[in-house]
Amino acid sequence: MSVQKESNVIIDYGDLSVTGGISVFSKEFDKAFYYDGEDLGLTYSLAGSKFRLWAPTSSEAFLMLYEDWNSTSGKKIPMNRDVKGTWTVQIDGDLAGQYYTYLVRIGNQWNEAVDPYAKAVGVNGDRGAIMDLTETHPDRWTSDKPSFVNAVDAIIYELHIRDYTIHAGSGVRNKGKYLGLTEKGTRGTDQIVTGLDHIKDLGVTHVQLLPIYDYATESVDETRLDEPQYNWGYDPKNYNVPEGSYASDPYRPDTRIRELKQMIQTFHDEGIRVVMDVVYNHVYDGYLVNFTKLVPGYYLRYTAEGKFSNGSGCGNDNATERPMMRKFIVDSILHWVQAYHIDGFRFDLMGLMDTDTMNEIRRQLDKIDPSIIMIGEGWNMETELAQEKRANQLQAAEMPRIAHFNDGFRDAVKGDIFVFDKKGFISTGKSFESHVKKGIVAGISYSDEFASFAVEPDQTVNFVECHDNHTLWDKIVLSTEGESDDLRRAMHRLASSMVLTSQGISFIHAGQEYYRTKGGEENSYKSGDEVNQLNWDQAAEHKDGTLFMRQLIKLRKEHPAFRMKDAGAIRNHLFFEEAPEHAVAYSIRDHANGDPEKHLYVLHYAGRTAAEIKLPDLGSWHLLFGEGCVENLCDNMLKVNGIGTVVLACKP
């Protein structure tokens, strides 16, 4: 395949004479042109700037310099062919304040593109920006981080930058911006705590940010921020640069960098680590992305018919298995860690990526900081990659210390997310107990009966709500026709408590603490503020929900028995106990994981009538959590009346 015509776009894959007869689609291409240097992109100094571009199929390459982000003409500077398909040029003098792109000739086609390795860009990311990145540090910028060791100790709180503070009642000045999450002392209706202080008061260990890299102009145009626009940002444009619409001034390349750093520093100063949601599985437009313009045919995955692989549903799966794409992804991850002090990564549609790339990321992160967590959507999805190489739940054993979202637990707790009216455990759905138990033990091979995908508990993320699909509240409403809202809130609290008392990594979605609704909308990726904003008036109305979540998080933190570090410990210390229908009970025994209590007992009860449950004969039980559900407690019997979770401790 030399030229492809599709979707009104022509892609010229180049003249084979340029690469010595080696096709860009072949394995021989990687052997001949893999470049392992650390200097791809721009290396800036006051004395001069060096540029290195990887473009093996180009017969000519030029550096284009521009005075501004929208200059109509630029200076065209020839680049010199160098080793392994790279092109270089050195420009003397201080170029700070200028903008650049690359212009390459591939076959008969001229393509101009942004440097994939650009670390600063102009408005809308259409040109790289040249600057001294050391001058983008905020007034306080340290490498100090909140102490953290094991992934299972993580309590992750997922939020979208704009959603969290844009509401009129947020009390935040810099609404919808990075700086909005640096403000302290903000208050909403009835003087409730909002914004950063709300997150801190919850007690979570990590915030997970929906995409903060520069994403497609078609989603949010940074020159039109006075107009209604909205997007989650799962459409990458420039992987190594912050998104400009969250900055106070997207026209200044340094502002987005400095303000993101300031936000991260503020979280760290408040004892909270930061997880970045990354989308290395696909790009926004496979035809127009800088990868395709610079080395067409290389970075994306193709079918046998020469079409883009479409496992993502976006029509352009990234070929993460190709060495230079893998190198780009690893280099990008390390850039965010080293330049922005990021503490973890959530990999969107991780099942489309390859296991070797994921393991290489883990290996490189461990050299820097083993406490950096890696979690991802390990769904089993079709793509043009051998099944055994896909980084999904089926390959969990091949990817130690990389966690997968536990969709089995999610659906068992609240009901199938794709069958909107289907009930789950919390809403008296039948026969979900065994699936719930698999989640409680973090998806490990606990027994012949209870086994899932995980080898160790740090490979499972338990959750019942995230940005995707209906919120937990909306799902409950859809599956409980005729029920009262009071009963629904009890189901909601039960679901949250099931997450925070289970083994593995805990994950909650912003607003889950006060029954967040999106008005029944399932996929709100571009639905605007009215649907997506965190409604702080609702938070004021349901302060009890926030208090409940704080108590749950405190319980998990105070009892390491809920956070056992290895599968052997879970098998040795956790025992499932007898329980009636619509209930799951278990004990965690013998000071598990150094717990201050010798034994704990947990009951998740979704029944609608009172029930008496026999307690294990381990000593004298007393109540730790769930007082509202308990009608009577004696040494060997617990009577509950109401939907919820009860946690007991035992003094022998």
mmCIF file with all atom_site columns, all heavy atoms in Angstrom, residues 193 197-198 200-203 500 513 543-556 625:
data_model
loop_
_atom_site.group_PDB
_atom_site.id
_atom_site.type_symbol
_atom_site.label_atom_id
_atom_site.label_alt_id
_atom_site.label_comp_id
_atom_site.label_asym_id
_atom_site.label_entity_id
_atom_site.label_seq_id
_atom_site.pdbx_PDB_ins_code
_atom_site.Cartn_x
_atom_site.Cartn_y
_atom_site.Cartn_z
_atom_site.occupancy
_atom_site.B_iso_or_equiv
_atom_site.pdbx_formal_charge
_atom_site.auth_seq_id
_atom_site.auth_comp_id
_atom_site.auth_asym_id
_atom_site.auth_atom_id
_atom_site.pdbx_PDB_model_num
ATOM 1   N N   . VAL A 1 193 ? -18.694 23.131 52.996 1.00 0.00 ? 193 VAL A N   1
ATOM 2   C CA  . VAL A 1 193 ? -17.342 23.141 52.449 1.00 0.00 ? 193 VAL A CA  1
ATOM 3   C C   . VAL A 1 193 ? -17.395 22.658 51.005 1.00 0.00 ? 193 VAL A C   1
ATOM 4   O O   . VAL A 1 193 ? -18.050 21.658 50.695 1.00 0.00 ? 193 VAL A O   1
ATOM 5   C CB  . VAL A 1 193 ? -16.422 22.231 53.293 1.00 0.00 ? 193 VAL A CB  1
ATOM 6   C CG1 . VAL A 1 193 ? -15.057 22.093 52.644 1.00 0.00 ? 193 VAL A CG1 1
ATOM 7   C CG2 . VAL A 1 193 ? -16.291 22.789 54.700 1.00 0.00 ? 193 VAL A CG2 1
ATOM 8   N N   . ASP A 1 197 ? -11.259 21.980 49.712 1.00 0.00 ? 197 ASP A N   1
ATOM 9   C CA  . ASP A 1 197 ? -11.478 21.633 51.123 1.00 0.00 ? 197 ASP A CA  1
ATOM 10  C C   . ASP A 1 197 ? -12.419 20.437 51.262 1.00 0.00 ? 197 ASP A C   1
ATOM 11  O O   . ASP A 1 197 ? -12.256 19.611 52.164 1.00 0.00 ? 197 ASP A O   1
ATOM 12  C CB  . ASP A 1 197 ? -12.050 22.831 51.882 1.00 0.00 ? 197 ASP A CB  1
ATOM 13  C CG  . ASP A 1 197 ? -11.030 23.943 52.074 1.00 0.00 ? 197 ASP A CG  1
ATOM 14  O OD1 . ASP A 1 197 ? -9.844  23.712 51.761 1.00 0.00 ? 197 ASP A OD1 1
ATOM 15  O OD2 . ASP A 1 197 ? -11.415 25.038 52.517 1.00 0.00 ? 197 ASP A OD2 1
ATOM 16  N N   . HIS A 1 198 ? -13.410 20.353 50.383 1.00 0.00 ? 198 HIS A N   1
ATOM 17  C CA  . HIS A 1 198 ? -14.330 19.212 50.407 1.00 0.00 ? 198 HIS A CA  1
ATOM 18  C C   . HIS A 1 198 ? -13.581 17.909 50.146 1.00 0.00 ? 198 HIS A C   1
ATOM 19  O O   . HIS A 1 198 ? -13.792 16.905 50.838 1.00 0.00 ? 198 HIS A O   1
ATOM 20  C CB  . HIS A 1 198 ? -15.423 19.422 49.357 1.00 0.00 ? 198 HIS A CB  1
ATOM 21  C CG  . HIS A 1 198 ? -16.384 18.285 49.221 1.00 0.00 ? 198 HIS A CG  1
ATOM 22  N ND1 . HIS A 1 198 ? -17.503 18.149 50.007 1.00 0.00 ? 198 HIS A ND1 1
ATOM 23  C CD2 . HIS A 1 198 ? -16.392 17.208 48.388 1.00 0.00 ? 198 HIS A CD2 1
ATOM 24  C CE1 . HIS A 1 198 ? -18.160 17.055 49.661 1.00 0.00 ? 198 HIS A CE1 1
ATOM 25  N NE2 . HIS A 1 198 ? -17.514 16.462 48.680 1.00 0.00 ? 198 HIS A NE2 1
ATOM 26  N N   . LYS A 1 200 ? -10.395 17.340 50.594 1.00 0.00 ? 200 LYS A N   1
ATOM 27  C CA  . LYS A 1 200 ? -9.519  17.061 51.740 1.00 0.00 ? 200 LYS A CA  1
ATOM 28  C C   . LYS A 1 200 ? -10.312 16.483 52.908 1.00 0.00 ? 200 LYS A C   1
ATOM 29  O O   . LYS A 1 200 ? -9.888  15.514 53.550 1.00 0.00 ? 200 LYS A O   1
ATOM 30  C CB  . LYS A 1 200 ? -8.793  18.332 52.165 1.00 0.00 ? 200 LYS A CB  1
ATOM 31  C CG  . LYS A 1 200 ? -7.808  18.112 53.299 1.00 0.00 ? 200 LYS A CG  1
ATOM 32  C CD  . LYS A 1 200 ? -7.112  19.396 53.703 1.00 0.00 ? 200 LYS A CD  1
ATOM 33  C CE  . LYS A 1 200 ? -6.161  19.139 54.872 1.00 0.00 ? 200 LYS A CE  1
ATOM 34  N NZ  . LYS A 1 200 ? -5.500  20.399 55.323 1.00 0.00 ? 200 LYS A NZ  1
ATOM 35  N N   . ASP A 1 201 ? -11.478 17.060 53.189 1.00 0.00 ? 201 ASP A N   1
ATOM 36  C CA  . ASP A 1 201 ? -12.293 16.601 54.316 1.00 0.00 ? 201 ASP A CA  1
ATOM 37  C C   . ASP A 1 201 ? -12.784 15.175 54.121 1.00 0.00 ? 201 ASP A C   1
ATOM 38  O O   . ASP A 1 201 ? -12.990 14.446 55.093 1.00 0.00 ? 201 ASP A O   1
ATOM 39  C CB  . ASP A 1 201 ? -13.486 17.534 54.524 1.00 0.00 ? 201 ASP A CB  1
ATOM 40  C CG  . ASP A 1 201 ? -13.094 18.847 55.186 1.00 0.00 ? 201 ASP A CG  1
ATOM 41  O OD1 . ASP A 1 201 ? -11.910 19.007 55.529 1.00 0.00 ? 201 ASP A OD1 1
ATOM 42  O OD2 . ASP A 1 201 ? -13.972 19.721 55.338 1.00 0.00 ? 201 ASP A OD2 1
ATOM 43  N N   . LEU A 1 202 ? -13.009 14.763 52.866 1.00 0.00 ? 202 LEU A N   1
ATOM 44  C CA  . LEU A 1 202 ? -13.436 13.387 52.618 1.00 0.00 ? 202 LEU A CA  1
ATOM 45  C C   . LEU A 1 202 ? -12.395 12.392 53.107 1.00 0.00 ? 202 LEU A C   1
ATOM 46  O O   . LEU A 1 202 ? -12.724 11.306 53.575 1.00 0.00 ? 202 LEU A O   1
ATOM 47  C CB  . LEU A 1 202 ? -13.689 13.164 51.126 1.00 0.00 ? 202 LEU A CB  1
ATOM 48  C CG  . LEU A 1 202 ? -15.003 13.663 50.547 1.00 0.00 ? 202 LEU A CG  1
ATOM 49  C CD1 . LEU A 1 202 ? -15.023 13.439 49.039 1.00 0.00 ? 202 LEU A CD1 1
ATOM 50  C CD2 . LEU A 1 202 ? -16.206 12.979 51.187 1.00 0.00 ? 202 LEU A CD2 1
ATOM 51  N N   . GLY A 1 203 ? -11.110 12.744 52.941 1.00 0.00 ? 203 GLY A N   1
ATOM 52  C CA  . GLY A 1 203 ? -10.040 11.860 53.397 1.00 0.00 ? 203 GLY A CA  1
ATOM 53  C C   . GLY A 1 203 ? -9.470  10.958 52.324 1.00 0.00 ? 203 GLY A C   1
ATOM 54  O O   . GLY A 1 203 ? -8.718  10.023 52.634 1.00 0.00 ? 203 GLY A O   1
ATOM 55  N N   . LEU A 1 500 ? -15.759 0.299  49.801 1.00 0.00 ? 500 LEU A N   1
ATOM 56  C CA  . LEU A 1 500 ? -14.740 0.743  50.751 1.00 0.00 ? 500 LEU A CA  1
ATOM 57  C C   . LEU A 1 500 ? -14.425 -0.271 51.840 1.00 0.00 ? 500 LEU A C   1
ATOM 58  O O   . LEU A 1 500 ? -13.502 -0.068 52.628 1.00 0.00 ? 500 LEU A O   1
ATOM 59  C CB  . LEU A 1 500 ? -15.156 2.081  51.358 1.00 0.00 ? 500 LEU A CB  1
ATOM 60  C CG  . LEU A 1 500 ? -14.958 3.240  50.375 1.00 0.00 ? 500 LEU A CG  1
ATOM 61  C CD1 . LEU A 1 500 ? -15.858 4.409  50.687 1.00 0.00 ? 500 LEU A CD1 1
ATOM 62  C CD2 . LEU A 1 500 ? -13.496 3.689  50.377 1.00 0.00 ? 500 LEU A CD2 1
ATOM 63  N N   . GLU A 1 513 ? -20.685 10.878 46.850 1.00 0.00 ? 513 GLU A N   1
ATOM 64  C CA  . GLU A 1 513 ? -20.930 11.031 48.275 1.00 0.00 ? 513 GLU A CA  1
ATOM 65  C C   . GLU A 1 513 ? -22.277 11.701 48.561 1.00 0.00 ? 513 GLU A C   1
ATOM 66  O O   . GLU A 1 513 ? -22.807 11.585 49.677 1.00 0.00 ? 513 GLU A O   1
ATOM 67  C CB  . GLU A 1 513 ? -19.789 11.803 48.945 1.00 0.00 ? 513 GLU A CB  1
ATOM 68  C CG  . GLU A 1 513 ? -19.606 13.232 48.457 1.00 0.00 ? 513 GLU A CG  1
ATOM 69  C CD  . GLU A 1 513 ? -18.689 13.351 47.247 1.00 0.00 ? 513 GLU A CD  1
ATOM 70  O OE1 . GLU A 1 513 ? -18.584 12.390 46.457 1.00 0.00 ? 513 GLU A OE1 1
ATOM 71  O OE2 . GLU A 1 513 ? -18.082 14.431 47.083 1.00 0.00 ? 513 GLU A OE2 1
ATOM 72  N N   . LYS A 1 543 ? -26.069 16.617 53.013 1.00 0.00 ? 543 LYS A N   1
ATOM 73  C CA  . LYS A 1 543 ? -24.854 16.625 53.837 1.00 0.00 ? 543 LYS A CA  1
ATOM 74  C C   . LYS A 1 543 ? -24.650 15.292 54.541 1.00 0.00 ? 543 LYS A C   1
ATOM 75  O O   . LYS A 1 543 ? -23.527 14.901 54.834 1.00 0.00 ? 543 LYS A O   1
ATOM 76  C CB  . LYS A 1 543 ? -24.920 17.770 54.852 1.00 0.00 ? 543 LYS A CB  1
ATOM 77  C CG  . LYS A 1 543 ? -24.853 19.159 54.241 1.00 0.00 ? 543 LYS A CG  1
ATOM 78  C CD  . LYS A 1 543 ? -24.681 20.230 55.292 1.00 0.00 ? 543 LYS A CD  1
ATOM 79  C CE  . LYS A 1 543 ? -25.945 20.474 56.073 1.00 0.00 ? 543 LYS A CE  1
ATOM 80  N NZ  . LYS A 1 543 ? -26.968 21.205 55.296 1.00 0.00 ? 543 LYS A NZ  1
ATOM 81  N N   . ASP A 1 544 ? -25.763 14.596 54.810 1.00 0.00 ? 544 ASP A N   1
ATOM 82  C CA  . ASP A 1 544 ? -25.659 13.301 55.481 1.00 0.00 ? 544 ASP A CA  1
ATOM 83  C C   . ASP A 1 544 ? -24.900 12.295 54.617 1.00 0.00 ? 544 ASP A C   1
ATOM 84  O O   . ASP A 1 544 ? -24.164 11.445 55.130 1.00 0.00 ? 544 ASP A O   1
ATOM 85  C CB  . ASP A 1 544 ? -27.052 12.761 55.793 1.00 0.00 ? 544 ASP A CB  1
ATOM 86  C CG  . ASP A 1 544 ? -27.888 12.531 54.536 1.00 0.00 ? 544 ASP A CG  1
ATOM 87  O OD1 . ASP A 1 544 ? -27.905 13.421 53.658 1.00 0.00 ? 544 ASP A OD1 1
ATOM 88  O OD2 . ASP A 1 544 ? -28.523 11.467 54.426 1.00 0.00 ? 544 ASP A OD2 1
ATOM 89  N N   . GLY A 1 545 ? -25.081 12.382 53.300 1.00 0.00 ? 545 GLY A N   1
ATOM 90  C CA  . GLY A 1 545 ? -24.371 11.478 52.395 1.00 0.00 ? 545 GLY A CA  1
ATOM 91  C C   . GLY A 1 545 ? -22.867 11.705 52.433 1.00 0.00 ? 545 GLY A C   1
ATOM 92  O O   . GLY A 1 545 ? -22.084 10.749 52.464 1.00 0.00 ? 545 GLY A O   1
ATOM 93  N N   . THR A 1 546 ? -22.475 12.977 52.459 1.00 0.00 ? 546 THR A N   1
ATOM 94  C CA  . THR A 1 546 ? -21.049 13.297 52.539 1.00 0.00 ? 546 THR A CA  1
ATOM 95  C C   . THR A 1 546 ? -20.463 12.838 53.863 1.00 0.00 ? 546 THR A C   1
ATOM 96  O O   . THR A 1 546 ? -19.353 12.289 53.910 1.00 0.00 ? 546 THR A O   1
ATOM 97  C CB  . THR A 1 546 ? -20.842 14.815 52.357 1.00 0.00 ? 546 THR A CB  1
ATOM 98  O OG1 . THR A 1 546 ? -21.305 15.196 51.057 1.00 0.00 ? 546 THR A OG1 1
ATOM 99  C CG2 . THR A 1 546 ? -19.379 15.182 52.502 1.00 0.00 ? 546 THR A CG2 1
ATOM 100 N N   . LEU A 1 547 ? -21.196 13.051 54.953 1.00 0.00 ? 547 LEU A N   1
ATOM 101 C CA  . LEU A 1 547 ? -20.737 12.587 56.261 1.00 0.00 ? 547 LEU A CA  1
ATOM 102 C C   . LEU A 1 547 ? -20.568 11.075 56.263 1.00 0.00 ? 547 LEU A C   1
ATOM 103 O O   . LEU A 1 547 ? -19.572 10.546 56.793 1.00 0.00 ? 547 LEU A O   1
ATOM 104 C CB  . LEU A 1 547 ? -21.727 13.012 57.341 1.00 0.00 ? 547 LEU A CB  1
ATOM 105 C CG  . LEU A 1 547 ? -21.430 12.513 58.760 1.00 0.00 ? 547 LEU A CG  1
ATOM 106 C CD1 . LEU A 1 547 ? -20.086 13.038 59.246 1.00 0.00 ? 547 LEU A CD1 1
ATOM 107 C CD2 . LEU A 1 547 ? -22.554 12.931 59.712 1.00 0.00 ? 547 LEU A CD2 1
ATOM 108 N N   . PHE A 1 548 ? -21.521 10.359 55.672 1.00 0.00 ? 548 PHE A N   1
ATOM 109 C CA  . PHE A 1 548 ? -21.443 8.902  55.590 1.00 0.00 ? 548 PHE A CA  1
ATOM 110 C C   . PHE A 1 548 ? -20.174 8.474  54.850 1.00 0.00 ? 548 PHE A C   1
ATOM 111 O O   . PHE A 1 548 ? -19.459 7.562  55.286 1.00 0.00 ? 548 PHE A O   1
ATOM 112 C CB  . PHE A 1 548 ? -22.683 8.372  54.871 1.00 0.00 ? 548 PHE A CB  1
ATOM 113 C CG  . PHE A 1 548 ? -22.717 6.878  54.706 1.00 0.00 ? 548 PHE A CG  1
ATOM 114 C CD1 . PHE A 1 548 ? -23.161 6.053  55.723 1.00 0.00 ? 548 PHE A CD1 1
ATOM 115 C CD2 . PHE A 1 548 ? -22.300 6.288  53.513 1.00 0.00 ? 548 PHE A CD2 1
ATOM 116 C CE1 . PHE A 1 548 ? -23.191 4.667  55.568 1.00 0.00 ? 548 PHE A CE1 1
ATOM 117 C CE2 . PHE A 1 548 ? -22.328 4.913  53.346 1.00 0.00 ? 548 PHE A CE2 1
ATOM 118 C CZ  . PHE A 1 548 ? -22.778 4.096  54.377 1.00 0.00 ? 548 PHE A CZ  1
ATOM 119 N N   . MET A 1 549 ? -19.875 9.132  53.721 1.00 0.00 ? 549 MET A N   1
ATOM 120 C CA  . MET A 1 549 ? -18.686 8.776  52.958 1.00 0.00 ? 549 MET A CA  1
ATOM 121 C C   . MET A 1 549 ? -17.416 9.062  53.757 1.00 0.00 ? 549 MET A C   1
ATOM 122 O O   . MET A 1 549 ? -16.457 8.269  53.730 1.00 0.00 ? 549 MET A O   1
ATOM 123 C CB  . MET A 1 549 ? -18.661 9.536  51.632 1.00 0.00 ? 549 MET A CB  1
ATOM 124 C CG  . MET A 1 549 ? -17.554 9.097  50.695 1.00 0.00 ? 549 MET A CG  1
ATOM 125 S SD  . MET A 1 549 ? -17.752 7.414  50.045 1.00 0.00 ? 549 MET A SD  1
ATOM 126 C CE  . MET A 1 549 ? -18.937 7.705  48.728 1.00 0.00 ? 549 MET A CE  1
ATOM 127 N N   . ARG A 1 550 ? -17.391 10.169 54.469 1.00 0.00 ? 550 ARG A N   1
ATOM 128 C CA  . ARG A 1 550 ? -16.222 10.475 55.299 1.00 0.00 ? 550 ARG A CA  1
ATOM 129 C C   . ARG A 1 550 ? -16.010 9.398  56.355 1.00 0.00 ? 550 ARG A C   1
ATOM 130 O O   . ARG A 1 550 ? -14.878 8.984  56.631 1.00 0.00 ? 550 ARG A O   1
ATOM 131 C CB  . ARG A 1 550 ? -16.396 11.840 55.979 1.00 0.00 ? 550 ARG A CB  1
ATOM 132 C CG  . ARG A 1 550 ? -16.171 13.024 55.086 1.00 0.00 ? 550 ARG A CG  1
ATOM 133 C CD  . ARG A 1 550 ? -15.714 14.250 55.859 1.00 0.00 ? 550 ARG A CD  1
ATOM 134 N NE  . ARG A 1 550 ? -16.643 14.653 56.893 1.00 0.00 ? 550 ARG A NE  1
ATOM 135 C CZ  . ARG A 1 550 ? -17.571 15.595 56.756 1.00 0.00 ? 550 ARG A CZ  1
ATOM 136 N NH1 . ARG A 1 550 ? -17.713 16.215 55.598 1.00 0.00 ? 550 ARG A NH1 1
ATOM 137 N NH2 . ARG A 1 550 ? -18.348 15.914 57.754 1.00 0.00 ? 550 ARG A NH2 1
ATOM 138 N N   . GLN A 1 551 ? -17.094 8.944  56.957 1.00 0.00 ? 551 GLN A N   1
ATOM 139 C CA  . GLN A 1 551 ? -16.986 7.902  57.982 1.00 0.00 ? 551 GLN A CA  1
ATOM 140 C C   . GLN A 1 551 ? -16.492 6.587  57.384 1.00 0.00 ? 551 GLN A C   1
ATOM 141 O O   . GLN A 1 551 ? -15.687 5.878  57.997 1.00 0.00 ? 551 GLN A O   1
ATOM 142 C CB  . GLN A 1 551 ? -18.349 7.707  58.658 1.00 0.00 ? 551 GLN A CB  1
ATOM 143 C CG  . GLN A 1 551 ? -18.790 8.893  59.494 1.00 0.00 ? 551 GLN A CG  1
ATOM 144 C CD  . GLN A 1 551 ? -20.228 8.783  59.961 1.00 0.00 ? 551 GLN A CD  1
ATOM 145 O OE1 . GLN A 1 551 ? -21.048 8.094  59.344 1.00 0.00 ? 551 GLN A OE1 1
ATOM 146 N NE2 . GLN A 1 551 ? -20.557 9.482  61.047 1.00 0.00 ? 551 GLN A NE2 1
ATOM 147 N N   . LEU A 1 552 ? -16.974 6.267  56.198 1.00 0.00 ? 552 LEU A N   1
ATOM 148 C CA  . LEU A 1 552 ? -16.526 5.056  55.516 1.00 0.00 ? 552 LEU A CA  1
ATOM 149 C C   . LEU A 1 552 ? -15.030 5.097  55.224 1.00 0.00 ? 552 LEU A C   1
ATOM 150 O O   . LEU A 1 552 ? -14.308 4.123  55.441 1.00 0.00 ? 552 LEU A O   1
ATOM 151 C CB  . LEU A 1 552 ? -17.273 4.907  54.186 1.00 0.00 ? 552 LEU A CB  1
ATOM 152 C CG  . LEU A 1 552 ? -18.499 4.011  54.110 1.00 0.00 ? 552 LEU A CG  1
ATOM 153 C CD1 . LEU A 1 552 ? -19.081 4.083  52.707 1.00 0.00 ? 552 LEU A CD1 1
ATOM 154 C CD2 . LEU A 1 552 ? -18.145 2.572  54.470 1.00 0.00 ? 552 LEU A CD2 1
ATOM 155 N N   . ILE A 1 553 ? -14.582 6.219  54.691 1.00 0.00 ? 553 ILE A N   1
ATOM 156 C CA  . ILE A 1 553 ? -13.163 6.372  54.348 1.00 0.00 ? 553 ILE A CA  1
ATOM 157 C C   . ILE A 1 553 ? -12.311 6.299  55.609 1.00 0.00 ? 553 ILE A C   1
ATOM 158 O O   . ILE A 1 553 ? -11.246 5.657  55.628 1.00 0.00 ? 553 ILE A O   1
ATOM 159 C CB  . ILE A 1 553 ? -12.950 7.687  53.578 1.00 0.00 ? 553 ILE A CB  1
ATOM 160 C CG1 . ILE A 1 553 ? -13.591 7.577  52.188 1.00 0.00 ? 553 ILE A CG1 1
ATOM 161 C CG2 . ILE A 1 553 ? -11.469 8.023  53.462 1.00 0.00 ? 553 ILE A CG2 1
ATOM 162 C CD1 . ILE A 1 553 ? -13.647 8.878  51.416 1.00 0.00 ? 553 ILE A CD1 1
ATOM 163 N N   . LYS A 1 554 ? -12.780 6.926  56.677 1.00 0.00 ? 554 LYS A N   1
ATOM 164 C CA  . LYS A 1 554 ? -12.063 6.870  57.959 1.00 0.00 ? 554 LYS A CA  1
ATOM 165 C C   . LYS A 1 554 ? -11.973 5.430  58.455 1.00 0.00 ? 554 LYS A C   1
ATOM 166 O O   . LYS A 1 554 ? -10.922 4.976  58.936 1.00 0.00 ? 554 LYS A O   1
ATOM 167 C CB  . LYS A 1 554 ? -12.788 7.747  58.976 1.00 0.00 ? 554 LYS A CB  1
ATOM 168 C CG  . LYS A 1 554 ? -12.121 7.842  60.343 1.00 0.00 ? 554 LYS A CG  1
ATOM 169 C CD  . LYS A 1 554 ? -12.846 8.885  61.190 1.00 0.00 ? 554 LYS A CD  1
ATOM 170 C CE  . LYS A 1 554 ? -12.183 9.046  62.554 1.00 0.00 ? 554 LYS A CE  1
ATOM 171 N NZ  . LYS A 1 554 ? -12.486 7.922  63.452 1.00 0.00 ? 554 LYS A NZ  1
ATOM 172 N N   . LEU A 1 555 ? -13.080 4.689  58.320 1.00 0.00 ? 555 LEU A N   1
ATOM 173 C CA  . LEU A 1 555 ? -13.094 3.280  58.729 1.00 0.00 ? 555 LEU A CA  1
ATOM 174 C C   . LEU A 1 555 ? -12.051 2.483  57.955 1.00 0.00 ? 555 LEU A C   1
ATOM 175 O O   . LEU A 1 555 ? -11.293 1.697  58.543 1.00 0.00 ? 555 LEU A O   1
ATOM 176 C CB  . LEU A 1 555 ? -14.485 2.695  58.491 1.00 0.00 ? 555 LEU A CB  1
ATOM 177 C CG  . LEU A 1 555 ? -14.663 1.206  58.800 1.00 0.00 ? 555 LEU A CG  1
ATOM 178 C CD1 . LEU A 1 555 ? -14.720 0.979  60.304 1.00 0.00 ? 555 LEU A CD1 1
ATOM 179 C CD2 . LEU A 1 555 ? -15.945 0.667  58.130 1.00 0.00 ? 555 LEU A CD2 1
ATOM 180 N N   . ARG A 1 556 ? -11.998 2.674  56.642 1.00 0.00 ? 556 ARG A N   1
ATOM 181 C CA  . ARG A 1 556 ? -11.036 1.930  55.821 1.00 0.00 ? 556 ARG A CA  1
ATOM 182 C C   . ARG A 1 556 ? -9.601  2.282  56.206 1.00 0.00 ? 556 ARG A C   1
ATOM 183 O O   . ARG A 1 556 ? -8.734  1.410  56.294 1.00 0.00 ? 556 ARG A O   1
ATOM 184 C CB  . ARG A 1 556 ? -11.273 2.209  54.338 1.00 0.00 ? 556 ARG A CB  1
ATOM 185 C CG  . ARG A 1 556 ? -10.348 1.387  53.429 1.00 0.00 ? 556 ARG A CG  1
ATOM 186 C CD  . ARG A 1 556 ? -10.685 1.560  51.957 1.00 0.00 ? 556 ARG A CD  1
ATOM 187 N NE  . ARG A 1 556 ? -9.830  0.737  51.112 1.00 0.00 ? 556 ARG A NE  1
ATOM 188 C CZ  . ARG A 1 556 ? -10.055 -0.532 50.811 1.00 0.00 ? 556 ARG A CZ  1
ATOM 189 N NH1 . ARG A 1 556 ? -11.136 -1.132 51.289 1.00 0.00 ? 556 ARG A NH1 1
ATOM 190 N NH2 . ARG A 1 556 ? -9.220  -1.215 50.049 1.00 0.00 ? 556 ARG A NH2 1
ATOM 191 N N   . PHE A 1 625 ? -19.548 0.298  62.898 1.00 0.00 ? 625 PHE A N   1
ATOM 192 C CA  . PHE A 1 625 ? -20.130 1.077  61.801 1.00 0.00 ? 625 PHE A CA  1
ATOM 193 C C   . PHE A 1 625 ? -21.482 0.477  61.433 1.00 0.00 ? 625 PHE A C   1
ATOM 194 O O   . PHE A 1 625 ? -21.650 -0.742 61.456 1.00 0.00 ? 625 PHE A O   1
ATOM 195 C CB  . PHE A 1 625 ? -19.195 1.016  60.586 1.00 0.00 ? 625 PHE A CB  1
ATOM 196 C CG  . PHE A 1 625 ? -19.649 1.824  59.398 1.00 0.00 ? 625 PHE A CG  1
ATOM 197 C CD1 . PHE A 1 625 ? -19.369 3.177  59.307 1.00 0.00 ? 625 PHE A CD1 1
ATOM 198 C CD2 . PHE A 1 625 ? -20.366 1.232  58.370 1.00 0.00 ? 625 PHE A CD2 1
ATOM 199 C CE1 . PHE A 1 625 ? -19.784 3.924  58.219 1.00 0.00 ? 625 PHE A CE1 1
ATOM 200 C CE2 . PHE A 1 625 ? -20.790 1.965  57.279 1.00 0.00 ? 625 PHE A CE2 1
ATOM 201 C CZ  . PHE A 1 625 ? -20.497 3.320  57.200 1.00 0.00 ? 625 PHE A CZ  1
#
